[in-house]
Structures are given as C-alpha cells and as structure tokens.
Amino acid sequence: MSSLLECAIIGGGPAGLSAALVLGRARRRVALFDEGEPRNAVTREAHGFLTRDGIAPAELRRAAHEDIRKYGNVSVHRMKVAEVANERGLFRLRTEEGERFEAKKLIVATGLKERLPAIDGLRELYGRSLFSCPYCDGWELRDQPLVVIGEQEEKAYHLAKTASQWSRNLLLCTNGSAIAEGRKRALEANGIRWNESRIRVALGTDGILSRVIFEGGEEERRRGGFVVSEWFQGSAIAESLGCKMNGKGGIETDEFGRTSVEGVFAAGDASVISPAQLIVAAAEGSRAAMGVNGDLIHESFLPG
Ligand SMILES: Cc1cc2nc3c(=O)[nH]c(=O)nc-3n(C[C@H](O)[C@H](O)[C@H](O)COP(=O)(O)OP(=O)(O)OC[C@H]3O[C@@H](n4cnc5c(N)ncnc54)[C@H](O)[C@@H]3O)c2cc1C
C-alpha cells in the first residue's frame, strides 16, 4: 500500500493529463492511472488543438507526459483501475493488477467509448476517411463527395446539416430509419440528398471510402464522411460511486468539475459528452484540478 494520495486521476487522455499538470504544479501528491485506450486511437492526426494542429494523437500524449515528468510529486501508472470504494470520503482504488492506492480526492477522466452502426466495412474506414466530428476532420474532407451515416434520424440530420459547411456534395444515409417529412424538405432546400435504405457495405481501399452499396444493389460513389455513433461512458467508476448523470449520459458536474458525490470530480468527454474535443477535455481537466486544489486548501486552511 502506497502512502495517501491527495488526488487520484483515473484516465490519461487530455483531460486527465491536464489535471495532472495543474495539480503537479500546485505541489499536490498525485497519481494518474491510464489503461491507454483513448477513443481517438483509430486516427492518425488530431486537429484543432492550438499550436498542435495535425499532431499524431500518440505524440500529443508523449509531449504531455514529458511536461508532467518535471513534477516529481506526480506518478503515472499504466494500469486500469478496476474498482474504487468510497469509505467515508477516503477513496480506495484497486487496479486490475491488484495494486491498491488511497486518495483524498478523485478525478474521473475516463472518456467515452463508442459503438458504430453495424454496417460491413465501416470499422476499417473509421478514423481514416469516416469520422465523427466535422470540426475535427471536416477541413481535410472539404468539397469532397461525402456521406453522413446515422441510424438515429435526428442526430443524423443534424450532423448532415453541420457537415454542409464543409461540403455541399452530401448524401445522408439512415440505414433503414425513416426521415421526418419536414427534415426531408429542409434537406432538399439545401441540396442535400438522402437514402433511407439499409446499407449492405461501405467499401474502400487503405481506409479511404470509395462506394456505399445498398441492400437493393444500388451504389453511390463517396470519398469520405461522417458517422453518428452511440457514445457511452469509458468506465463504470462514476456510476458505481453514485455520481448523478446528466440528460446526455455524461457525469453531472458544477463549474469546477465537482460531481454529486463529495470528493469526486469529473472532466473531459466523460462529463462534457459534446462538444467532444481534445482542447475542451484539456480545459476541463485543468478546471477540475483547480476544483480539487481549492477544496483541499479550504479543508486545511485554519479559520482565524
Ligand atoms: C475518430 C476520432 C477522431 C477525433 N479527432 C479529433 C480531433 O481531430 N480533434 C479533437 O479535438 N478531438 C478529436 N476527437 C475527440 C477526442 O479524441 C476526445 O474529445 C478526447 O480524446 C477526450 O479526451 P478525454 O481525456 O476526455 O478522454 P480520452 O482521450 O478518451 O482518454 C480517456 C483515457 O482513460 C482511460 N481509461 C478509461 N477507463 C479507465 C480505467 N478504469 N482505468 C484507467 N484508465 C482508464 C482510457 O483508456 C483512455 O486512455 C476525435 C475522436 C475520434 C473518435
């Protein structure tokens, strides 16, 4: 058993890493745990992070670890946290390897996992020519013939509407879901085509989409596009501790990342859900770290 940590950070994406940096600089005894399976692992380039536009996701993490290494009061553990017990405000962590740690505060930064529509070929193209977010990858696909695939009709419509800023050559495919008549009229008014048929396969070479083939045999030539996937929590830790969830499936927090459970904070995709962005997650981690540090100061600062 190691000595008592002031904060345990679970998750080593931009949210957790940023929290570790801020708490390291605040002279807190911190441990960061990361199993190393971020949601953007399928991509080769991350965009829109100021000063790091186009960087490989692994390189962004490497640079962040280099920053954190300067602070000897922060330890980093390449481990999955299997369980956290809350014993009257003291958090007892057990890793999958069976190591145990204790912490006064906890930051949950375990991100999201996603489930793509069950369409043949999609997984091989995801992260190469099919993406989830036009803000992240729209520039690289600008003015190309694109497809937007989504079975949740409302989300698919909104993704197509957003994607129209990057390409007007758009085909919305709902893979068997009906599109509301009002939305069809709006799509038509904006020059966006649609197809409600089930998709047999999305075909491409080396990850680059070339054709979408429908059950009836018809096909459309497309170069890339966007997919509505289902998002769910990257770990069950917050829920197992009794943290309230918000209407979007994220962990409910206040402006400093405090959850409904005393001493538990959350940051990044796990709480924000949308907009899911590296820079937003990093900002959230920074804010949660200030929340943790502020509460620790408040708890130990003597009244006059
Ligand atoms: C295909 C794709 C492309 C993207 N492109 C961009 C882009 O270009 N620009 C951009 O800004 N955003 C992009 N994003 C979004 C971006 O990746 C996320 O918003 C960001 O990674 C969220 O950071 P996070 O720290 O909250 O979570 P993550 O980066 O997902 O990190 C969470 C970490 O927690 C770990 N973890 C989970 N459970 C445990 C546990 N029990 N114990 C220990 N560790 C655990 C995971 O393994 C993971 O390493 C993209 C996403 C996808 C899917």
Side-chain angles (χ1 to χ4, degrees):
M1 172 95 60
S2 53
S3 59
L4 181 62
L5 298 163
E6 290 177 294
C7 185
I9 301 166
I10 311 179
L17 289 164
S18 175
L21 178 62
V22 172
L23 285 170
R25 291 180 51 76
R27 313 174 67 196
R28 294 296 179 186
R29 202 165 48 256
V30 172
L32 178 139
F33 301 88
D34 187 33
E35 68 170 331
E37 288 178 16
R39 199 160 63 82
N40 65 349
V42 291
T43 56
R44 296 187 171 185
E45 289 181 1
H47 303 107
F49 198 110
L50 197 65
T51 78
R52 295 290 181 273
D53 191 34
I55 194 171
E59 174 55 20
L60 186 65
R61 283 185 171 222
R62 191 204 58 73
H65 279 272
E66 200 175 302
D67 284 345
I68 290 164
R69 213 169 292 128
K70 285 187 283 197
Y71 304 95
N73 45 324
V74 179
S75 60
V76 175
H77 306 263
R78 180 69 191 262
M79 294 174 181
K80 178 173 181 173
V81 175
E83 192 181 46
V84 182
N86 181 354
E87 291 181 12
R88 289 184 301 279
L90 182 71
F91 299 99
R92 294 187 197 278
L93 284 72
R94 183 177 58 78
T95 68
E96 262 194 346
E97 295 79 1
E99 287 199 42
R100 290 174 192 276
F101 297 83
E102 287 180 351
K104 289 184 185 173
K105 306 281 179 204
L106 191 70
I107 297 180
V108 179
T110 45
L112 293 173
K113 298 233 181 288
E114 58 193 348
R115 190 180 298 119
L116 296 172
I119 295 170
D120 277 355
L122 223 56
R123 179 136 301 278
E124 292 73 23
L125 304 166
Y126 191 59
R128 294 294 317 281
S129 58
L130 291 178
F131 301 93
S132 54
C133 161
Y135 291 96
C136 299
D137 298 287
W139 173 262
E140 284 64 34
L141 298 176
R142 65 194 184 281
D143 298 328
Q144 301 283 321
L146 303 183
V147 66
V148 172
I149 300 174
E151 293 165 339
Q152 300 156 275
E153 183 257 353
E154 189 180 348
K155 286 187 179 171
Y157 169 80
H158 283 290
L159 184 55
K161 185 176 168 184
T162 305
S164 70
Q165 169 61 16
W166 283 268
S167 176
R168 303 299 288 187
N169 187 346
L170 278 181
L171 174 71
L172 170 61
C173 298
T174 52
N175 196 32
S177 305
I179 303 172
E181 285 308 313
R183 293 203 176 106
K184 281 184 180 169
R185 283 196 294 276
L187 291 169
E188 208 168 294
N190 289 282
I192 300 173
R193 295 186 302 123
W194 70 85
N195 192 324
E196 297 163 313
S197 312
R198 294 198 73 83
I199 297 171
R200 184 187 297 161
V201 64
L203 284 179
T205 309
D206 293 335
I208 309 302
L209 175 69
S210 55
R211 285 180 295 159
V212 177
I213 304 179
F214 297 90
E215 287 291 2
E218 59 181 301
E219 58 179 74
E220 289 270 0
R221 292 200 166 273
R222 301 279 104 186
R223 160 66 184 73
F226 299 98
V227 184
V228 178
S229 48
E230 257 181 84
W231 286 350
F232 47 96
Q233 286 290 319
S235 84
I237 290 169
E239 275 176 289
S240 76
L241 289 169
C243 297
K244 259 196 212 148
M245 307 304 279
N246 63 33
K248 291 187 197 168
I251 304 164
E252 194 175 289
T253 64
D254 73 2
E255 71 276 18
F256 276 102
R258 295 183 192 90
T259 69
S260 59
V261 176
E262 179 85 32
V264 181
F265 293 69
D269 279 4
S271 60
V272 178
I273 299 278
S274 176
Q277 289 256 294
L278 295 159
I279 203 155
V280 175
E284 281 264 310
S286 172
R287 216 162 55 155
M290 288 184 221
V292 164
N293 189 51
D295 286 2
L296 286 170
I297 292 172
H298 182 70
E299 287 160 19
S300 64
F301 201 77
L302 297 176

